[in-house]
């Protein structure tokens, strides 16, 4: 994972650009996200990092294409994503004594900023998580699967009599029972 040491940030700030491959993100994502998705292409990030007193200001953008699963028809589809963000990290309290640093380190430090390092990969991934739709749709008008026979209604309609429109989720349950 890509990190930056605080003392590597010069007075005038720092511009960074990096790219992370799917493979290197995979392990990290397994631990972190219960949303089912994958990266289709590498994750590209670009940030400006500045010191402001004792805080760190980060502005930047992340860009990638994800592979999501449609909640209606259950097909996987590419989901291009690009988002800008702004973050302020508050790592340090005013001149803490050594004891205080020991005791209170959890409270004082942002989770993106630990042990004097900014966790840039985590920051980038977090921005992606925030942009993933709660109920991904391959397209707005996706017709989903038939709740009776399970056929993809985007491809062909079936003869089944349906009581009401059902979501892809109930169609999935039906499929599993069969
Ligand atoms: Zn769909
Ligand atoms: Zn049907």
């Amino acid at each position: 994972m890509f990190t930056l040491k605080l003392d590597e940030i010069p007075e005038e700030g720092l511009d960074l650009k990096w790219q992370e491959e799917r493979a290197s993100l995979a392990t990290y994502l397994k631990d972190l996200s219960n949303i089912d998705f994958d990266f289709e292409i590498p994750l590209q990030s670009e940030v400006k990092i500045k010191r402001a007193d004792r805080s760190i200001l980060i502005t930047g953008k992340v860009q990638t294409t994800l592979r999501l699963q449609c909640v209606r028809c259950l097909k996987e589809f590419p989901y291009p994503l690009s988002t800008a963000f702004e973050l302020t990290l508050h790592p340090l309290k005013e001149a803490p004594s050594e004891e205080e640093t020991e005791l209170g380190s959890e409270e004082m430090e942002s989770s993106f900023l630990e042990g004097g390092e900014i966790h840039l990969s985590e920051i980038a991934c977090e921005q992606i998580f925030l942009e993933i739709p709660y109920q991904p749709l391959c397209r707005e008008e996706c017709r989903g699967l038939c709740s009776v026979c399970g056929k993809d209604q985007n491809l062909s309609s079936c003869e089944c009599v349906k009581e009401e429109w059902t979501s892809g989720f109930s169609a999935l349950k039906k499929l599993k029972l069969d």
Side-chain angles (χ1 to χ4, degrees):
M1 303 310 285
F2 187 37
T3 59
L4 177 75
K5 289 199 169 63
L6 282 180
D7 52 24
E8 287 172 349
I9 306 169
E11 205 54 50
E12 67 274 16
L14 194 61
D15 287 1
L16 283 176
K17 218 173 171 176
W18 74 99
Q19 179 169 303
E20 284 167 272
E21 300 299 325
R22 292 179 53 204
S24 72
L25 292 163
T27 345
Y28 175 67
L29 291 174
K30 234 180 251 162
D31 301 342
L32 238 174
S33 167
N34 48 18
I35 311 166
D36 197 16
F37 75 98
D38 201 359
F39 283 87
E40 185 141 304
I41 60 170
L43 170 60
Q44 298 188 322
S45 311
E46 208 178 322
V47 295
K48 274 185 194 304
I49 303 174
K50 264 192 271 181
R51 290 173 183 276
D53 295 326
R54 293 184 155 266
S55 314
I56 305 290
L57 301 180
I58 302 181
T59 51
K61 52 184 181 183
V62 289
Q63 195 179 329
T64 190
T65 297
L66 299 178
R67 178 152 283 271
L68 300 179
Q69 190 181 38
C70 175
V71 291
R72 285 190 196 151
C73 70
L74 309 179
K75 269 212 195 80
E76 292 194 339
F77 64 98
Y79 186 78
L81 198 157
S82 163
T83 184
F85 65 95
E86 226 181 287
L87 274 181
T88 309
L89 306 180
H90 302 285
L92 305 165
K93 272 186 176 167
E94 289 297 317
S97 73
E98 269 176 44
E99 274 169 22
E100 274 169 344
T101 313
E102 280 282 292
L103 288 172
S105 62
E106 293 258 310
E107 286 164 38
M108 295 193 294
E109 293 190 340
S110 153
S111 64
F112 294 135
L113 186 44
E114 267 180 318
E117 287 189 336
I118 304 175
H119 295 191
L120 289 171
S121 292
E122 284 176 36
I123 291 173
C125 285
E126 180 73 17
Q127 307 312 313
I128 297 297
F129 296 155
L130 293 174
E131 293 297 315
I132 297 176
Y134 180 60
Q135 299 206 300
L137 290 178
C138 62
R139 55 200 164 96
E140 204 55 55
E141 65 280 14
C142 172
R143 300 177 62 204
L145 303 178
C146 169
S147 57
V148 182
C149 70
K151 241 187 210 154
D152 187 341
Q153 302 292 285
N154 298 304
L155 302 175
S156 62
S157 9
C158 52
E159 303 296 308
C160 304
V161 182
K162 273 154 264 176
E163 281 152 38
E164 59 191 273
W165 188 87
T166 47
S167 71
F169 180 65
S170 53
L172 175 64
K173 277 203 295 200
K174 192 83 188 174
L175 279 175
K176 282 190 171 157
L177 286 174
D178 290 342

